[in-house]
Amino acid sequence: MQLLALALYHRDGRPTPRVVRFRPGALNILTGESETGKSEILDIVDYCLGRSTPSLPDEPIDQTVGWYALLVAFPDSRMLLARPRPAGASTTQAMILTGDTSLDLPRADQLTPNSNVAALRAQLSARLGIEDFRFQPPAGAARSAFNVSIAQATLLCLQNQNEIADKKALFHRQTENGMAQAIKDTLPYFLGAAGPQQALNRHHLNEAQRAQRAAQRKLDDAYRHREAVDAGGVALLRLAQNEGLLDEVPQAPAPEEIRQLLEQALTVTTSVVGPVDLTDRRYQLDEERRALREQLQQLDETLALLDRWQKQGEDFTGELRLQLGRLKAINLLGPEGDHDHSVCPMCTQPLEHPDAPAAEILTLAEELAGELDQARTVQPIRDEHRRSLQSERAAVVERLKVNGAQLRELTASDDRMRHLQDQQVRIARVQGRIDQALTTGSGSPAGGIAQLQDNLVVAQENVAGLQALIDEDDVASETERRLTDIAADMTTWARRLNLGQAAAADEVTISLSQLNVVLRRPQGRLPLNRIGSAKNWIGYHMVAHLALHTYLRRHHRPVPAFLMLDQPTQAFFPAKIKDATTVRDADWDTVTAYFELLRDVADLNDGALQIIVCDHANLTDHPWFQESIVENWRPHDGRRRALIPTDWLD
C-alpha cells in the first residue's frame, strides 16, 4: 500500500479541495518554509489510517477543514479513506470507498460517513494481507490479547520531527502508554518470524496451562477433602467411643479402618427409655408437704401460746407468793391489831386516808392463799397438754422428713430418666452424623482421586507438548536472525553517512528488547542514547527505518510500503528557522548525503518502497532533488504557499 493523494475539504463545502499528490515507488519531497503545515501532513495521514484521536493543531486547520481524505493504492485497486473533523477530542466516523485504479478523490458533496474506524482498519488490514489472528500474550503477562492490524503496522511507517531525533525511542508513538509493548509483540510477525500459527499455539498453550491449573486445583481439593473426611471420621470415632458405641478406637486409624469402625458404630442399638409422667405423684407429695407444714405451724403456734400462759401463770403465782408473804406479817400483831386505824399509831395523829383494818388484811391473805392453791392444781394439766402437743409436733416433723425424702427420690429418678433420654439423643445425633459422613464420603471414593491424578497427568503432557512445539518455533531466535539481516544494510549505510561510532562497530542493529538502535563492538554493546549529537540520532533513525522497510519489501511483508519522515535535517539548521535555503553555513554536504541515501534506497527497492520527506531543505543544485519535489511551500509570484490555501483563511 502506497499513498497517492492527500485532500483537505473546506468546512463550508466549497467544491475544490486542497490536494497534495504523491508519486508511488519513489522519493517524494515536500519542502518549504516553517509554519506552512509540513508536519501536519504526517498527522493527517495517521488520522486517515484509523487513529481515533488526531494530534492536529487548533489553527488554522481546525478553523477551516471539515474532512480529511487519503487516496491509497494497492497493486490492482485503490481505496479512499476519509475522516470528518472530530467534533470533540476524537471520533470513530469514517468514509470508505474502494475501486479499481481509476478511483480518485470525491467531490465535497459526496463526503458522508458510511463506516467507522474499526471497519476501516479491518479492510485495510485485509487488503495489506495481515492475517486475521489475535495476539496472545504469554501466560502471566499483565496485558490483554489484541487483534493484529494496520494499527500496529502504521507504527513502522511514520517518524515525526520529535521521534526522528529521539535518542531513546525508535518507532512512532513508542513512548505512549502500551505502545512499546505492542511493537515488541507484533514486530516478529511483521518481520515474518511469527504468524497466526504461533499465536494459535500460544493461545492453546495458555488454555492448556489453565486446564492444568484447574486439574491441579481439583486434585488438591480432593486431597484436602479426604484429609478433612479422615480428621472428621476420627473425631466421630472419639464421640462414638465416649457414648459407648465403640469399645476401643486406635490412636491413628487408617482411612479404611475409620470407615469400618464408623459402620460398626451405626449397628449398635440401645434400649429406648420412654418418658414417665410423675406429675400426679409429685403433686400428691407437694400437697401432703403443704398440709404438714400448716399442721406444724399450728402446733408451733399452740405451743407458743401455752408457753405464754405458763409464763404468765408463773408470774402470777410469784406475785401471789410475794403479796401473801407481805400480808402474813399482820399475824405478828397482838392486841395492837385492834387499834383505831384512823389514827397513826406512832404519833396518834388522825390519818387523811385511814388504813385498812387488820381483819380485812387477814381475809385478803386467806383469799390469796386459796388462789395460790388453786394455781398449783392447774399446772400438772398444763404440763400434760404440752407433752401431748410436743409429741404430735414430733410426729409431723417425722412425716415432713419422709415427705422430703420421697420428693428428693422422685427428683433423682426424674434426673436419671432425663439423663438416659439425653444420652439416647446424643447417641442418635452421633449416629446421624456418622451416617451423613459415610454418605457424603461415598461421593469421593478412592477411585475419584485416581481419576483426578490421571486428568492432571494428561493436562501436564498436553502443556509439555505445546511448549515443545512453541520452543521449536523459537520466535525470539528467528526474530533475531531477521534483525541480523536488516543490520547488514544498517551497518553499511551508517558508515556511508559517517555516523558516530559506526566505523568502529562490528554491527549496527535494532534491539527488540530496547526498541532502539544498538551498536555491537568488541568492547560491548553501545545503545543510541549513549551516542552524542542530534545528527547521529537522526542518521541512525534513518538507516534503521530504511533498512527495515527494504527488508519488508524484499520479503513481501504485510506492512504499508511507504516511509514518511518529518524534518530529517533539523539537526543542521537553527532551532527556529524560517527557510533552510537562507542558511549558508550549514553542513550541506551531510544534508545532501542524507537525501542521496533516501534517493538510492528508493531506487534500490525499484518502486516497491515510497519515501515521503517533509523538510526545510531544498537542494536547488541537484536536479534529482528537484525532480523529487511534490510540493514547494515557499512564496512564489508574491503569493504564500502552504498546506492551507490563503483564500481559505480570508
Side-chain angles (χ1 to χ4, degrees):
M1 183 188 85
Q2 297 185 1
L3 311 185
L4 294 180
L6 178 69
L8 279 63
Y9 293 83
H10 201 284
R11 294 175 63 177
D12 62 9
R14 62 185 65 184
T16 304
R18 172 68 169 98
V19 179
V20 178
R21 295 193 178 272
F22 305 103
R23 292 191 295 268
L27 174 62
N28 294 255
I29 300 175
L30 197 157
T31 183
E33 296 180 348
S34 297
E35 301 179 354
T36 53
K38 297 186 301 299
S39 296
E40 278 67 44
I41 294 293
L42 185 144
D43 293 329
I44 295 172
V45 170
D46 196 8
Y47 179 58
C48 289
L49 291 178
R51 186 172 180 180
S52 298
T53 305
S55 56
L56 299 171
D58 292 337
E59 298 178 356
I61 291 180
D62 189 62
Q63 294 182 347
T64 58
V65 179
W67 278 80
Y68 303 93
L70 185 66
L71 184 65
V72 300
F74 294 92
D76 55 356
S77 62
R78 291 182 179 182
M79 285 185 69
L80 176 79
L81 313 171
R83 301 285 306 280
R85 180 190 68 87
S90 63
T91 181
T92 60
Q93 291 184 328
M95 174 183 174
I96 305 173
L97 293 177
T98 58
D100 56 21
T101 55
S102 63
L103 179 67
D104 206 347
L105 296 169
R107 300 189 309 272
D109 57 359
Q110 295 176 318
L111 295 172
T112 181
N114 63 0
S115 187
N116 55 40
V117 169
L120 183 149
R121 288 178 176 176
Q123 290 195 35
L124 278 177
S125 300
R127 290 295 183 99
L128 280 171
I130 297 177
E131 295 163 289
D132 185 14
F133 77 98
R134 188 170 179 81
F135 177 80
Q136 296 290 336
R143 58 187 190 275
S144 303
F146 60 88
N147 295 321
V148 178
S149 69
I150 183 71
Q152 294 82 36
T154 304
L155 302 176
L156 309 180
C157 301
L158 304 174
Q159 286 278 282
N160 65 37
Q161 61 179 326
N162 294 326
E163 292 166 342
I164 199 170
D166 192 339
K167 64 179 178 179
K168 295 182 179 180
L170 181 60
F171 295 99
H172 181 52
R173 300 176 60 190
Q174 179 179 328
T175 57
E176 296 181 17
N177 186 31
M179 286 299 181
Q181 189 59 56
I183 297 171
K184 291 180 182 180
D185 291 337
T186 55
L187 185 57
Y189 166 71
F190 290 123
L191 291 176
Q197 187 58 47
Q198 286 81 0
L200 184 62
N201 290 341
R202 186 170 292 280
H203 173 69
H204 289 162
L205 176 62
N206 292 344
E207 294 295 326
Q209 290 173 335
R210 189 176 297 111
Q212 177 183 338
R213 291 193 294 270
Q216 184 67 59
R217 282 196 303 272
K218 290 181 179 179
L219 181 59
D220 294 341
D221 291 343
Y223 279 133
R224 284 192 293 270
H225 175 72
R226 187 173 71 177
E227 291 174 358
V229 169
D230 293 346
V234 173
L236 289 175
L237 291 179
R238 303 300 178 201
L239 288 175
Q241 185 180 21
N242 293 337
E243 299 299 336
L245 296 176
L246 295 173
D247 295 332
E248 185 177 356
V249 176
Q251 186 66 28
E256 298 78 8
E257 191 175 5
I258 291 175
R259 189 174 185 87
Q260 293 175 358
L261 290 172
L262 291 176
E263 291 175 347
Q264 178 183 341
L266 281 181
T267 61
V268 177
T269 58
T270 57
S271 59
V272 178
V273 178
V276 179
D277 191 3
L278 302 176
T279 305
D280 293 342
R281 178 57 179 161
R282 185 182 296 279
Y283 177 76
Q284 293 173 0
L285 290 174
D286 288 339
E287 287 296 316
E288 180 185 5
R289 189 172 187 81
R290 184 183 60 78
L292 289 173
R293 285 184 178 277
E294 290 179 355
Q295 186 177 356
L296 181 62
Q297 183 179 2
Q298 292 175 358
L299 289 172
D300 287 340
E301 290 175 354
T302 303
L303 284 171
L305 180 60
L306 187 61
D307 288 341
R308 286 196 299 272
W309 287 349
Q310 176 70 23
K311 183 66 171 62
Q312 291 175 359
E314 290 177 352
D315 293 342
F316 178 70
T317 55
E319 183 66 25
L320 288 178
R321 290 189 185 94
L322 178 62
Q323 295 300 329
L324 185 60
R326 290 176 178 176
L327 292 177
K328 284 183 177 181
I330 198 65
N331 293 327
L332 298 177
L333 296 176
E336 296 86 356
D338 296 329
H339 74 281
D340 187 2
H341 56 273
S342 62
V343 177
C344 174
M346 298 299 294
C347 65
T348 67
Q349 295 293 325
L351 298 173
E352 183 180 358
H353 300 289
D355 292 332
E360 291 181 7
I361 295 174
L362 290 174
T363 301
L364 179 60
E366 290 175 357
E367 291 176 356
L368 291 175
E371 291 180 4
L372 186 60
D373 291 339
Q374 185 180 2
R376 289 193 185 99
T377 61
V378 175
Q379 184 63 35
I381 298 173
R382 188 180 296 159
D383 291 341
E384 180 63 26
H385 185 52
R386 178 184 290 105
R387 285 192 294 273
S388 176
L389 290 175
Q390 289 176 343
S391 176
E392 187 177 354
R393 184 183 185 281
V396 172
V397 170
E398 184 63 27
R399 289 177 63 187
L400 278 173
K401 290 181 180 178
V402 173
N403 180 273
Q406 290 176 337
L407 280 173
R408 287 193 296 274
E409 179 61 27
L410 186 63
T411 301
S413 177
D414 194 18
D415 290 341
R416 287 193 298 273
M417 295 295 295
R418 189 178 296 108
H419 175 72
L420 290 175
Q421 292 174 355
D422 291 344
Q423 185 179 20
Q424 287 179 350
V425 171
R426 292 196 303 272
I427 290 174
R429 185 179 293 114
V430 170
Q431 288 183 328
R433 291 177 59 184
I434 291 174
D435 182 65
Q436 182 182 9
L438 291 176
T439 303
T440 305
S442 63
S444 299
I449 291 182
Q451 181 63 46
L452 292 175
Q453 290 174 335
D454 292 341
N455 293 343
L456 178 59
V457 171
V458 171
Q460 290 172 338
E461 291 176 351
N462 192 20
V463 169
L466 289 170
Q467 187 65 61
L469 189 61
I470 290 176
D471 291 342
E472 287 178 1
D473 291 338
D474 199 1
V475 173
S477 298
E478 185 63 22
T479 301
E480 190 64 28
R481 186 186 68 79
R482 293 171 188 257
L483 289 175
T484 300
D485 292 345
I486 296 171
D489 287 336
M490 288 179 62
T491 305
T492 300
W493 295 338
R495 290 171 179 170
R496 170 178 169 174
L497 296 181
N498 196 26
L499 298 179
Q501 306 292 331
D506 295 333
E507 183 181 63
V508 179
T509 187
I510 298 173
S511 170
L512 181 62
S513 60
Q514 298 182 27
L515 291 184
N516 207 347
V517 174
V518 172
L519 279 65
R520 291 194 174 97
R521 306 175 302 168
Q523 59 270 39
R525 294 161 60 94
L526 181 67
L528 182 60
N529 60 353
R530 293 181 57 194
I531 301 175
S533 113
K535 167 194 169 182
N536 290 319
W537 303 334
I538 294 173
Y540 278 115
H541 271 253
M542 281 182 51
V543 299
H545 284 280
L546 290 173
L548 172 62
H549 277 271
T550 298
Y551 178 88
L552 296 174
R553 300 282 61 81
R554 287 173 182 167
H555 296 83
H556 309 288
R557 299 304 302 157
V559 177
F562 72 88
L563 173 63
M564 183 172 287
L565 306 176
D566 184 27
Q567 312 294 345
T569 64
Q570 58 186 287
F572 304 98
F573 307 112
K576 295 183 179 180
I577 183 177
K578 180 65 175 175
D579 187 357
T581 58
T582 63
V583 180
R584 300 303 177 187
D585 56 349
D587 188 355
W588 286 103
D589 291 338
T590 304
V591 171
T592 302
Y594 278 24
F595 277 102
E596 287 178 343
L597 177 61
L598 293 171
R599 177 202 62 191
D600 293 346
V601 172
D603 294 341
L604 176 66
N605 283 275
D606 195 18
L609 176 63
Q610 180 185 40
I611 301 176
I612 301 173
V613 181
C614 300
D615 201 88
H616 294 290
N618 183 16
L619 305 180
T620 57
D621 296 335
H622 298 274
W624 60 267
F625 188 96
Q626 297 301 311
E627 292 174 359
S628 300
I629 295 177
V630 294
E631 291 280 338
N632 189 345
W633 294 344
R634 289 180 173 82
H636 181 70
D637 297 333
R639 299 182 61 185
R640 180 178 182 272
R641 294 182 178 182
L643 177 63
I644 303 299
T646 305
D647 60 331
W648 283 23
L649 302 176
D650 295 338

